[in-house]
Amino acid sequence: MSGVKAALKAAKAALDSQNYQNAIEQAHKALATDPQNYHANVFLGLANEKQGENDESEKFYKDAIAIKGNDPLAWQGLITLYEKHPSQNLDEYHNAATKLASIYSDQDDNTRCHAVIEKYTDCARKSGTRSQYIRALEILLPSSPLYEKLEGRIPHPSWTFTKIAELTEQEEKEKINFEIGQRRTRLGARIDQVTLEVKREILQKTRLDTIYQGVIDWTNDDEARRLYEENLLQHTFETLVVLKETEKHNVQKRVESLAKGMVIIKHPFPLAWRIVLEWNECGHLENLDVGLLREFVEFFPDDGLSKVLRGFLNSEISPFPKLTVHEPEDGPTDDTTSTVEEERLILMAEGLEDNSSALASRIMADYYLYLEEFESAVETARKAQRQLQTQILESGLHLTENVVAVKNTLATSLVHYQAPRYHPEARSLFDDILRLKPTDSSALIGMGLIFEEQEDYENAIIFLEQALTHSDDIKIKAEAAWCRALNGEFESGLLALDKCLSELQGSELRTRTLKSQILYRSGMCIWNLDSSRKARRDRKGAYDRFLSSIQININFAPAYTSLGIYYADYAKDKDRARKCFQKAFELSPSEVEASRRLAESFANSREWDLVEVVAQRIVDSGKIRPSPGSRKKGISWPFTALGVVQLNNQQYGKSIVSFQSAIRISPEDYHSWVGLGESYHNSGRYIAATKAFEQAQKIEAESKTLNVEDTWFTKYMLANVKRELGQYDEAIGGYRAVLSLRSREYGVSMALLQCLVERAWHNVELGFFGRAIDSAEEAIKTASDIAGWKNGVQSLWKAIGDACSVYSLVQAYSADFPSSSLRALLEKDFDVQEFKILAKLDRTDHSTLELLSKKHGSLSPPEVCCLAAILAHKRALQCCTEDRHARAVAWYNLGWAEYQASVCYGDKVHGRAKKPLLRFVKASVQCFKRSIEHEAGNSEFWNSLGIATSTLNPKVSQHSFVRSLYLNEKSARVWTNLGTLYLAQKDHRLANDAFTRAQSADPEYAHAWLGQGLLATQLGEFTEARNLSTHAYEIATSSSKLIKEQYTSLAFDHLTSMPMAEANAIGLLQPLFALQQLSTLSIDNTPFQHLIALFQERVGDYADATTNFELASSKLESEFERSESFDVLVRFAQIKADLSRAQLARKQYDPAIENAETAISLLDEQSFDSLLDRQSFEKADIHKTNLSAHVTAGLAHFYRGSMDHSLDMFRSALEESAGSPDTVSLLAQVLWAKGGAQERNVAREQLFNSVEKQPGNAEIIMLLGAIAVLDDDLETIEAIRDDLQGLRAREDLSLQQHTQLVQLITIVTTLYPGEQNKRTAQMSEATRAVMLNPSQPHGWSQLAELTNNSHPAQMAVLTAMRAVAPHGNLDAEDLCKAFAAKNSFNDSKMAIMLAPWMTYGWNSLAQIHGK
């Protein structure tokens, strides 16, 4: 032990001499001997501290404390160590300081104890955080174990509590804001939800309530105590608000206790008073503590709730005694009373705006209900409901009585506000109330009033009488009596009302209003008790009651309505009646009957604005739609009236909505359906209009009250709709049905006429030209009937002119034009001298009428039709001398008639002078100029002028088109016309731009595509031109001749240029149809008559082709006789050659020879050179014609048996064709058919020569093969076998050539199998055919015959089905053969159906039956 003491002594000496390292060594020596030596550890802690080894120092101090915990030396060293870095070790400092202070406290060394704590708290204040400082201050609180030793040396607890409260408030606020800021950035976070959650988490853990209570308990300052009582209540209330419902109960009790305590001591803290007032369960306002209310008003005079309470306590609805107020000596007057009421209402309204008190809103809602301001009552009651719900959520209370009271106020207000609009909601609220309180008088009365409004008077009486068992209110008695009267018990109702009238005392406003109502209702009882005219006219009866009601209350609207009915129906005083109805309407929008009669009077005087005002106010009143479940019928007439007004104002969208609303209320309202249909029609919604009018007709058929005057308009409008939809037959039927009822209805007659004309044009567009002519003829007859009783109308003559134009367009039927009847029509009731308009230009006047009646005059039928149209439009022009717009349209129509005549005459002139064309064009130009003078802003007028002047003056034409585009730049028609003008002037770039703009404006406008095609033709792009013209034809109507001409011409050119293998019969059908329509539209178009014959020849219609060739040749013959033109001569020779070819196909050999020889003679050598000088024809064309004639003549002679003549013709053809293989083939076949050895040798020689010149010709090779087989020439067969096999791979062969080739190879293989046997050779050829052409049926058919297998037969059928039209050129015979090869019953029948003239199907069927 002496060694330990020596070491400790040495360590102490080293510390004193500041030799800290030596001290450490000596202390370690002591610890080595005695590890539990307290002083050695203390010395080590001190020495390490001096050397800056804080961690080691702390360790040794703590080791010393572990040895002697109650010795202050080590604690002092530890505290000294912590004081050097207080911000890092403040929490450890706290523990050390409290321990050291406790040690001094135990030693009764209070001075040192206080010094330690004082030093620590000062350090925490300077260096610690807010929470660390709070922890330090808590040592100074009375709850601290050191407080008894420190009392008197430290600040008073009130100061400490106050300081802690301030610090805790700051810390809590910062923590809440920080957490909200952190969490609000999360996905899906809502600020309100985040705030609630953060506050709930923090406030549940807060100690502020305890701290506030500490301040309250220890402070001697009353003001501070009151302040912290407020803070305590506020903080506890905020905690209550954020807690969950299950956690609120205890906190709610504490909040309520704190608030009541403040109110008891009359501390003016608004929150406390509001809690006491708002959380009070109060079913009726009279249950409130009036003293508490007055004190609240006194303490908080500027608060919003105080203003409401002040007004309430002084109002008529207050159940409390009013404070004594000194009144003027002469007493209050009506003016002062009114002023006070107004001021009170203003005060209460201001108070309601300034606060969120449910009590204030509830009181205000009751007051509005008392004042019968139902809209404000509803709004305020709803606001009170929301505020009550908020209070319930915040406080955790149920407040059932308050909720029921507010519901009662809201439901009662809803009963009266815009009744019966909100009755379902009111009834639901009353049901809720009655479930809780079955005897609630207000709810029972409300239910009674709802049933009364729904005309369910029995239930209304039940509820009102239940209410009377709990109340003696005269108003309820009167309402019950009125319900009895409405239920038909007029006598008992009248007695009860009279009794109520006798009991009613007083002169205040409410009493006078009720008395007025009772007088009116008793008057209605008297009115209905005796409905005779005499009784109702009695001025001492009901009339006297109505008048008395108004005298008592001049603002009682129902009495005015009844007086109006009395004056209108019984006193026959319309002026007074209208004044009464107007007064009733002004006073109340609920007076529906008065409003209806007022609207009818305004409508009769055509004051539509006033009708709209009346109807709109009734709609806005909410009276027109009954509540769900009500027996009361809805009122539809206001919507119908609105619809009529909007229809007259062309507000079709609004009128549709109005009529739909009327129909929803009254589905059987005929006039609403008619109005809805008319609105749909005018807005372009024709399908919907059709349904509406059809529904109206259903109602009409079921109705027994509607007469003809009410229903004809529906039929007329439905016909209009059908007409707009293009259903002209149904529309015409509808118009005629109306005319059968009203024969002289001009509007319907004109609609019928215009519909007939529109149907005619529609049929022209569809290609139904016969129907179009029938419609035009019917239109002229109808116009004649109309002109018999009214002929001075422009639209009549315009329709006649249009009908004449239909005849001029469909020229094939123009001979049927009723010219004589039209002449009589034009002369009817008219000075024919008026036809001299523009007669100097168009030479069409009264003298032209003579031409109309001549059947065989100098004019063609289409020309007569054009002249008739011009005269009709001239007469239309005379019918519109006063209307500027109509006159512009009339000039425009006349201009088009003149231009159409120029086109018609232009088609006829040919070689004649073109004066007729120019005179009509100039007349049309004048007409279009006149129309522009009257209406320069019409783009169509400028477009027409541009068309008319395009041949006369291109500059004027361009200006006109540009002006038209300026007025309407989206017109595809005008852009196309401008492009055509540029095309005519060879400006291809501008033409292309114009056509492109036209296509952009309207992609469905066919002429824009045609113009692009014409441009492509001029540029030599014939494929593009053909594609564009085909597209134009596909989207065009049937009335366009130019499109058909261009399309068919390019289609034929393409057909003649394509190989025979690619020719498709289906591709000929569309051009053929187009040409047939063209022949109907243009009867004198010889080139296209020739073209249709060529197409008919191609499709095998040789009879019609022959007829058309003959007609075309006769016309060209006449034209040649007139003009002696070489062009006509060549064309005539061509048609003769084509005619002979068609006659040859029909086996008319003699006429074929005659016509062919005629063509040959016309194209003989003598005229050949002169023909070549003509630029209209090329040498190749003449050679083709000559060759065709020689070949046709040769074949005709061959079939007649004239072999020598046939050979002569073929030799000439051979020379003409320069050894053409096709000609050689025909010649060889003829020579072989003649049968002589010499002829056959010549045939072989010609074929071999042709093969040498053109070795790849399929016809020559196959013909040589066939001859070799017939001659049994093995050498030739072996030589040609490879050539035949090589033909199989060629794609330029037609399907027929492929068939012939396969058959020939099969024959060669069968007869000359070579080294293989016969069957093997046949199978090899069949499989080779399938491999080379798997999509062709012939190889599969051959394989099926050889194998008797069903699979090849099935494949043969499938490939054959794909090779027939329109996919290929396989004919019915080949398809029949493929089906027959399947050897089944159904397939055999199909083969017979496809080609009954072939034996394949019959043989197959016979074999099946044989089996």
Side-chain angles (χ1 to χ4, degrees):
M1 291 297 291
S2 59
V4 173
K5 291 182 179 180
L8 290 175
K9 186 175 181 181
K12 178 69 171 65
L15 286 174
D16 292 339
S17 61
Q18 298 184 355
N19 187 354
Y20 303 118
Q21 184 60 39
N22 187 26
I24 292 172
E25 293 173 356
Q26 294 299 325
H28 277 298
K29 288 180 181 180
L31 285 177
T33 305
D34 183 8
Q36 295 298 318
N37 193 287
Y38 174 78
H39 292 286
N41 281 293
V42 171
F43 291 159
L44 280 171
L46 180 59
N48 279 289
E49 176 193 345
K50 296 298 183 180
Q51 287 192 335
E53 298 293 336
N54 295 331
D55 293 339
E56 289 294 321
S57 174
E58 183 178 10
K59 175 180 175 299
F60 287 114
Y61 280 137
K62 288 183 177 180
D63 290 343
I65 291 170
I67 297 170
K68 285 187 180 181
N70 293 325
D71 192 301
L73 184 61
W75 288 108
Q76 288 174 351
L78 192 60
I79 288 174
T80 303
L81 177 65
Y82 289 153
E83 285 177 349
K84 290 183 177 181
H85 303 285
S87 59
Q88 298 177 4
N89 304 299
L90 196 59
D91 292 334
E92 290 81 357
Y93 190 1
H94 172 82
N95 297 331
T98 52
K99 181 61 178 175
L100 182 58
S102 299
I103 292 171
Y104 287 142
S105 175
D106 293 341
Q107 296 174 358
D108 291 331
D109 191 350
N110 294 339
T111 302
R112 286 187 176 184
C113 177
H114 172 256
V116 170
I117 294 301
E118 184 179 26
K119 194 174 183 181
Y120 163 65
T121 55
D122 187 57
C123 183
R125 178 179 61 80
K126 293 178 180 179
S127 303
T129 63
R130 189 180 290 114
S131 59
Q132 290 172 332
Y133 184 39
I134 292 172
R135 189 181 180 191
L137 290 175
E138 286 175 348
I139 300 174
L140 308 180
L141 293 177
S143 57
S144 171
L146 301 174
Y147 180 74
E148 292 182 3
K149 303 295 182 180
L150 299 175
E151 187 176 8
R153 300 173 181 270
I154 58 176
H156 191 271
S158 62
W159 180 90
T160 307
F161 274 117
T162 303
K163 191 64 178 178
I164 293 174
E166 292 173 356
L167 295 172
T168 305
E169 286 173 355
Q170 295 174 10
E171 183 181 23
E172 195 174 272
K173 184 177 180 181
E174 289 179 2
K175 191 173 183 180
I176 289 173
N177 292 336
F178 175 77
E179 288 295 328
I180 291 174
Q182 288 289 317
R183 298 186 190 184
R184 68 182 298 180
T185 57
R186 296 174 183 172
L187 287 177
R190 299 199 318 269
I191 185 63
D192 53 344
Q193 187 66 27
V194 168
T195 303
L196 180 66
E197 291 174 356
V198 170
K199 286 187 175 181
R200 182 184 299 148
E201 292 176 8
I202 295 174
L203 294 180
Q204 279 182 318
K205 301 174 183 178
T206 186
R207 295 175 56 247
L208 261 180
D209 291 353
T210 305
I211 296 169
Y212 286 149
Q213 190 62 52
V215 176
I216 295 168
D217 293 341
W218 285 94
T219 185
N220 296 320
D221 187 348
D222 290 340
E223 292 184 3
R225 183 181 294 108
R226 297 291 175 261
L227 174 62
Y228 278 93
E229 285 176 349
E230 293 176 1
N231 291 346
L232 176 59
L233 176 59
Q234 184 72 45
H235 189 268
T236 309
F237 178 76
E238 290 176 359
T239 305
L240 174 66
V241 168
V242 299
L243 289 176
K244 295 180 180 179
E245 185 176 358
T246 55
E247 302 168 348
K248 288 181 181 286
H249 180 71
N250 294 331
V251 181
Q252 179 264 322
K253 292 295 184 183
R254 177 163 174 75
V255 169
E256 196 168 10
S257 173
L258 291 171
K260 287 182 178 179
M262 287 188 178
V263 170
I264 290 171
I265 64 174
K266 295 184 172 47
H267 176 59
F269 182 49
L271 178 61
W273 289 81
R274 282 181 176 277
I275 288 172
V276 172
L277 290 175
E278 301 283 351
W279 290 10
N280 182 23
E281 284 274 11
C282 178
H284 300 281
L285 293 178
E286 58 262 25
N287 295 335
L288 291 171
D289 185 347
V290 64
L292 196 63
L293 299 180
R294 297 191 191 282
E295 288 174 354
F296 183 85
V297 172
E298 181 181 353
F299 284 131
F300 314 105
D302 296 327
D303 189 272
L305 177 59
S306 293
K307 295 178 181 179
V308 173
L309 290 174
R310 195 183 313 158
F312 164 68
L313 293 172
N314 294 322
S315 68
E316 299 85 345
I317 66 170
S318 172
F320 309 114
K322 297 177 177 56
L323 297 177
T324 304
V325 179
H326 296 288
E327 297 180 354
E329 295 181 359
D330 53 353
T333 63
D334 291 339
D335 291 339
T336 57
T337 302
S338 175
T339 303
V340 169
E341 290 179 353
E342 291 176 1
E343 291 176 351
R344 180 190 305 132
L345 185 59
I346 292 171
L347 176 67
M348 296 175 75
E350 287 178 356
L352 188 64
E353 292 177 359
D354 294 342
N355 79 97
S356 58
S357 167
L359 177 61
S361 299
R362 174 184 171 185
I363 293 171
M364 203 65 198
D366 285 348
Y367 191 55
Y368 280 133
L369 181 60
Y370 170 78
L371 297 176
E372 296 184 357
E373 294 289 339
F374 301 116
E375 181 177 3
S376 299
V378 168
E379 292 177 359
T380 311
R382 291 192 192 281
K383 182 179 178 182
Q385 272 192 322
R386 292 191 297 269
Q387 292 166 340
L388 267 176
Q389 190 61 33
T390 302
Q391 285 183 5
I392 291 170
L393 290 175
E394 290 178 350
S395 66
L397 297 169
H398 294 94
L399 302 177
T400 306
E401 293 291 333
N402 297 359
V403 171
V404 169
V406 173
K407 276 187 178 181
N408 222 326
T409 302
L410 175 59
T412 306
S413 303
L414 290 172
V415 169
H416 300 283
Y417 177 51
Q418 293 187 359
R421 181 176 181 180
Y422 297 104
H423 280 187
E425 183 183 356
R427 184 169 179 176
S428 175
L429 292 171
F430 283 136
D431 287 339
D432 293 342
I433 295 169
L434 291 174
R435 275 194 292 271
L436 295 172
K437 293 185 174 184
T439 61
D440 189 284
S441 299
S442 299
L444 292 170
I445 295 169
M447 291 292 289
L449 293 176
I450 291 174
F451 282 119
E452 178 185 340
E453 178 64 32
Q454 295 177 355
E455 298 183 359
D456 187 355
Y457 302 119
E458 294 178 358
N459 282 323
I461 293 169
I462 292 171
F463 277 97
L464 290 173
E465 288 184 347
Q466 286 182 16
L468 284 173
T469 58
H470 306 286
S471 174
D472 292 331
D473 192 347
I474 295 178
K475 189 173 182 180
I476 303 175
K477 292 180 181 179
E479 204 66 47
W482 177 237
C483 287
R484 289 188 179 280
L486 293 174
N487 199 33
E489 303 173 25
F490 298 111
E491 291 185 7
S492 60
L494 178 60
L495 291 174
L497 288 170
D498 287 342
K499 184 178 179 182
C500 292
L501 195 63
S502 62
E503 294 176 1
L504 200 59
Q505 302 295 329
S507 60
E508 61 273 9
L509 178 60
R510 286 185 168 274
T511 304
R512 294 200 306 270
T513 302
L514 180 58
K515 189 173 184 180
S516 174
Q517 184 187 64
I518 294 174
L519 281 169
Y520 159 74
R521 291 178 172 179
S522 62
M524 290 302 299
C525 291
I526 296 171
W527 182 272
N528 290 306
L529 274 172
D530 188 353
S531 59
S532 65
R533 188 173 186 82
K534 180 180 179 181
R536 289 189 172 180
R537 290 187 63 183
D538 185 6
R539 289 181 175 265
K540 295 183 179 179
Y543 170 80
D544 181 60
R545 298 284 181 114
F546 298 148
L547 198 60
S548 299
S549 174
I550 292 174
Q551 289 172 349
I552 293 174
N553 182 6
I554 61 173
N555 294 323
F556 191 67
Y560 284 103
T561 301
S562 299
L563 273 179
I565 295 172
Y566 171 83
Y567 286 127
D569 297 346
Y570 299 98
K572 303 300 181 184
D573 192 340
K574 292 184 178 180
D575 291 337
R576 284 189 177 181
R578 183 166 180 171
K579 290 178 181 178
C580 288
F581 291 140
Q582 193 159 351
K583 183 67 174 177
F585 170 74
E586 291 172 357
L587 288 173
S588 173
S590 299
E591 294 305 306
V592 179
E593 179 63 21
S595 302
R596 184 185 66 80
R597 294 192 178 226
L598 191 61
E600 285 180 355
S601 67
F602 288 144
N604 292 333
S605 59
R606 308 192 70 80
E607 299 177 74
W608 298 112
D609 292 341
L610 297 177
V611 173
E612 183 178 16
V613 169
V614 173
Q616 189 62 54
R617 188 177 181 198
I618 297 300
V619 169
D620 295 340
S621 70
K623 288 284 185 180
I624 57 178
R625 285 193 176 94
S627 58
S630 173
R631 298 180 184 178
K632 191 174 182 180
K633 293 182 179 180
I635 303 168
S636 62
W637 70 261
F639 283 116
T640 305
L642 276 178
V644 171
V645 174
Q646 291 157 351
L647 192 60
N648 288 335
N649 294 335
Q650 299 181 358
Q651 297 173 333
Y652 304 122
K654 293 182 178 179
S655 67
I656 288 171
V657 174
S658 296
F659 285 124
Q660 285 176 337
S661 300
I663 290 168
R664 289 190 191 99
I665 296 172
S666 300
E668 301 300 318
D669 187 350
Y670 172 80
H671 297 287
S672 294
W673 280 108
V674 174
L676 179 62
E678 189 173 358
S679 300
Y680 278 136
H681 170 265
N682 292 339
S683 61
R685 298 167 64 180
Y686 301 118
I687 301 298
T690 302
K691 294 179 180 178
F693 285 128
E694 288 175 349
Q695 181 62 31
Q697 287 188 329
K698 287 182 183 178
I699 297 172
E700 169 192 333
E702 297 171 0
S703 175
K704 298 180 180 179
T705 58
L706 296 172
N707 53 38
V708 174
E709 294 299 324
D710 294 328
T711 60
W712 73 267
F713 183 74
T714 306
K715 295 182 175 65
Y716 167 67
M717 287 303 301
L718 182 58
N720 285 341
V721 174
K722 298 291 185 182
R723 173 180 162 193
E724 295 290 349
L725 290 172
Q727 301 172 5
Y728 297 107
D729 293 338
E730 296 181 22
I732 290 169
Y735 290 134
R736 285 179 174 158
V738 176
L739 289 173
S740 66
L741 302 174
R742 300 171 69 90
S743 58
R744 291 290 181 96
E745 189 67 42
Y746 174 73
V748 181
S749 299
M750 283 307 304
L752 172 61
L753 174 59
Q754 291 167 356
C755 187
L756 288 167
V757 174
E758 289 176 10
R759 184 175 70 172
W761 285 112
H762 182 66
N763 285 324
V764 168
E765 292 176 353
L766 295 178
F768 301 134
F769 301 120
R771 297 180 187 177
I773 293 300
D774 292 340
S775 293
E777 182 182 2
E778 197 174 351
I780 292 175
K781 291 179 181 178
T782 304
S784 299
D785 295 339
I786 297 172
W789 50 277
K790 190 168 185 178
N791 57 21
V793 184
Q794 176 198 1
S795 55
L796 171 66
W797 297 104
K798 193 261 184 187
I800 295 172
D802 289 344
C804 296
S805 298
V806 173
Y807 274 99
S808 68
L809 181 63
V810 188
Q811 296 180 2
Y813 296 91
S814 58
D816 300 331
F817 181 64
S819 54
S820 299
S821 59
L822 191 67
R823 176 185 177 181
L825 180 60
L826 290 170
E827 292 175 339
K828 186 177 182 62
D829 301 332
F830 188 67
D831 183 3
V832 294
Q833 297 298 320
E834 298 292 341
F835 287 129
K836 290 185 177 181
I837 301 172
L838 299 178
K840 292 182 179 180
L841 288 175
D842 62 7
R843 283 179 270 169
T844 304
D845 54 15
H846 62 281
S847 62
T848 310
L849 293 170
E850 299 292 333
L851 299 175
L852 297 182
S853 58
K854 293 181 180 180
K855 288 290 184 182
H856 303 286
S858 59
L859 298 177
S860 65
E863 292 170 350
V864 172
C865 300
C866 290
L867 294 177
I870 291 173
L871 293 175
H873 285 298
K874 284 186 176 182
R875 182 151 185 188
L877 187 61
Q878 298 298 325
C879 298
C880 53
T881 56
E882 297 180 359
D883 190 338
R884 184 181 183 87
H885 173 71
R887 195 163 183 78
V889 174
W891 277 113
Y892 171 75
N893 293 332
L894 178 58
W896 271 118
E898 299 277 6
Y899 190 79
Q900 187 177 5
S902 73
V903 173
C904 183
Y905 273 71
D907 289 343
K908 315 294 177 188
V909 294
H910 301 299
R912 295 177 288 172
K914 294 192 177 182
K915 288 186 178 179
L917 173 64
L918 291 178
R919 64 185 171 97
F920 287 119
V921 171
K922 290 179 180 179
S924 69
V925 170
Q926 290 300 317
C927 292
F928 292 139
K929 285 182 178 180
R930 296 281 183 87
S931 65
I932 291 172
E933 289 175 1
H934 286 88
E935 190 176 339
N938 192 311
S939 64
E940 291 296 328
F941 294 172
W942 286 101
N943 176 50
S944 304
L945 180 62
I947 295 172
T949 57
S950 59
T951 56
L952 300 176
N953 192 331
K955 291 184 179 180
V956 174
S957 177
Q958 181 187 21
H959 170 75
S960 301
F961 289 139
V962 171
R963 183 65 181 175
S964 177
L965 290 172
Y966 172 76
L967 296 171
N968 181 15
E969 66 175 353
K970 295 183 179 180
S971 174
R973 184 184 297 106
V974 183
W975 279 111
T976 303
N977 293 335
L978 181 61
T980 305
L981 178 66
Y982 290 143
L983 189 63
Q985 302 302 315
K986 307 298 183 183
D987 193 335
H988 296 152
R989 184 181 62 81
L990 289 178
N992 181 66
D993 292 343
F995 289 135
T996 303
R997 287 292 298 271
Q999 292 161 10
S1000 300
D1002 184 4
E1004 298 297 320
Y1005 186 60
H1007 287 81
W1009 298 98
L1010 176 65
Q1012 199 91 28
L1014 292 172
L1015 176 62
T1017 303
Q1018 285 192 4
L1019 297 175
E1021 300 173 359
F1022 297 108
T1023 302
E1024 180 71 12
R1026 188 181 72 256
N1027 293 335
L1028 289 169
S1029 63
T1030 302
H1031 179 65
Y1033 171 73
E1034 289 172 348
I1035 64 175
T1037 63
S1038 298
S1039 60
S1040 175
K1041 293 191 288 187
L1042 180 60
I1043 291 178
K1044 291 179 175 59
E1045 291 173 355
Q1046 181 72 3
Y1047 165 65
T1048 54
S1049 299
L1050 292 174
F1052 189 78
D1053 291 342
H1054 175 64
L1055 185 66
T1056 55
S1057 65
M1058 65 188 299
M1060 286 295 295
E1062 298 179 11
N1064 189 343
I1066 298 300
L1068 303 175
L1069 295 181
Q1070 269 195 329
L1072 186 58
F1073 291 152
L1075 286 167
Q1076 287 175 341
Q1077 290 182 340
L1078 185 61
S1079 65
T1080 305
L1081 295 173
S1082 182
I1083 58 177
D1084 290 329
N1085 199 335
T1086 306
F1088 286 92
Q1089 195 165 20
H1090 184 191
L1091 187 60
I1092 191 175
L1094 291 173
F1095 272 104
Q1096 288 168 339
E1097 180 190 10
R1098 290 269 178 158
V1099 299
D1101 188 3
Y1102 301 114
D1104 288 342
T1106 302
T1107 302
N1108 282 307
F1109 281 136
E1110 289 173 346
L1111 289 174
S1113 65
S1114 63
K1115 291 177 182 178
L1116 283 176
E1117 186 176 5
S1118 301
E1119 186 176 347
F1120 179 73
E1121 292 174 355
R1122 184 176 62 252
S1123 64
E1124 297 183 355
S1125 167
F1126 280 104
D1127 289 345
V1128 177
L1129 178 63
V1130 175
R1131 289 166 57 198
F1132 179 70
Q1134 287 177 337
I1135 290 181
K1136 282 294 184 180
D1138 295 338
L1139 174 60
S1140 67
R1141 193 169 58 250
Q1143 290 170 335
L1144 174 64
R1146 298 184 66 195
K1147 301 181 181 181
Q1148 298 175 351
Y1149 304 124
D1150 292 335
I1153 293 170
E1154 180 184 352
N1155 286 311
E1157 290 178 348
T1158 300
I1160 293 169
S1161 64
L1162 290 174
L1163 300 175
D1164 61 2
E1165 293 293 335
Q1166 183 178 0
S1167 60
F1168 192 77
D1169 294 334
S1170 60
L1171 289 173
L1172 294 180
D1173 294 336
R1174 309 297 296 175
Q1175 296 181 2
S1176 301
F1177 295 93
E1178 296 181 358
K1179 183 178 180 179
D1181 295 333
I1182 297 174
H1183 276 302
K1184 287 180 181 178
T1185 303
N1186 211 351
L1187 176 61
S1188 174
H1190 280 94
V1191 172
T1192 302
L1195 290 172
H1197 281 297
F1198 170 76
Y1199 287 117
R1200 282 185 76 250
S1202 303
M1203 294 298 179
D1204 295 333
H1205 290 90
S1206 175
L1207 288 173
D1208 292 340
M1209 287 294 175
F1210 277 118
R1211 288 191 184 97
S1212 300
L1214 195 61
E1215 295 174 2
E1216 190 74 31
S1217 64
S1220 168
D1222 294 333
T1223 308
V1224 170
S1225 175
L1226 288 173
L1227 177 59
Q1229 292 179 56
V1230 171
L1231 289 171
W1232 190 270
K1234 190 173 182 181
Q1238 183 180 357
E1239 286 80 1
R1240 292 187 178 186
N1241 289 331
V1242 172
R1244 292 189 190 94
E1245 183 181 348
Q1246 291 291 335
L1247 288 173
F1248 281 120
N1249 290 335
S1250 181
V1251 166
E1252 290 177 1
K1253 294 178 182 179
Q1254 294 185 0
N1257 188 273
E1259 288 289 337
I1260 298 297
I1261 294 173
M1262 287 191 292
L1263 194 55
L1264 281 173
I1267 292 173
V1269 171
L1270 293 174
D1271 289 343
D1272 196 19
D1273 187 352
L1274 292 176
E1275 183 180 353
T1276 304
I1277 288 172
E1278 291 300 327
I1280 209 167
R1281 189 191 295 269
D1282 293 336
D1283 292 333
L1284 290 175
Q1285 294 293 344
L1287 290 177
R1288 281 183 163 182
R1290 285 175 54 174
E1291 297 181 355
D1292 59 339
L1293 298 183
S1294 67
L1295 191 61
Q1296 286 75 15
Q1297 288 176 322
H1298 269 293
T1299 303
Q1300 293 171 2
L1301 179 62
V1302 171
Q1303 291 174 349
L1304 180 60
I1305 292 175
T1306 302
I1307 293 171
V1308 171
T1309 304
T1310 303
L1311 296 176
Y1312 308 100
E1315 297 179 358
Q1316 300 174 337
N1317 60 42
K1318 181 178 178 180
R1319 178 171 177 78
T1320 303
Q1322 289 177 336
M1323 286 291 294
S1324 176
E1325 289 301 326
T1327 53
R1328 185 179 296 153
V1330 170
M1331 183 178 296
L1332 291 173
N1333 292 291
S1335 62
Q1336 298 297 330
H1338 308 292
W1340 292 106
S1341 298
Q1342 185 181 358
L1343 192 61
E1345 290 176 2
L1346 293 171
T1347 61
N1348 289 325
N1349 193 309
S1350 61
H1351 178 69
Q1354 182 68 28
M1355 288 301 299
V1357 171
L1358 292 175
T1359 53
M1361 291 290 290
R1362 294 175 182 174
V1364 297
H1367 308 293
N1369 291 328
L1370 190 71
D1371 55 23
E1373 296 175 357
D1374 292 319
L1375 186 60
C1376 165
K1377 184 177 179 181
F1379 271 102
K1382 292 183 68 176
N1383 289 323
S1384 69
F1385 181 72
N1386 290 332
D1387 291 318
S1388 298
K1389 291 195 296 181
M1390 177 64 74
I1392 293 170
M1393 186 193 72
L1394 289 169
W1397 62 88
M1398 299 296 293
T1399 60
Y1400 302 114
W1402 297 107
N1403 291 336
S1404 176
L1405 190 62
Q1407 290 177 5
I1408 294 170
H1409 276 289
K1411 293 179 181 179

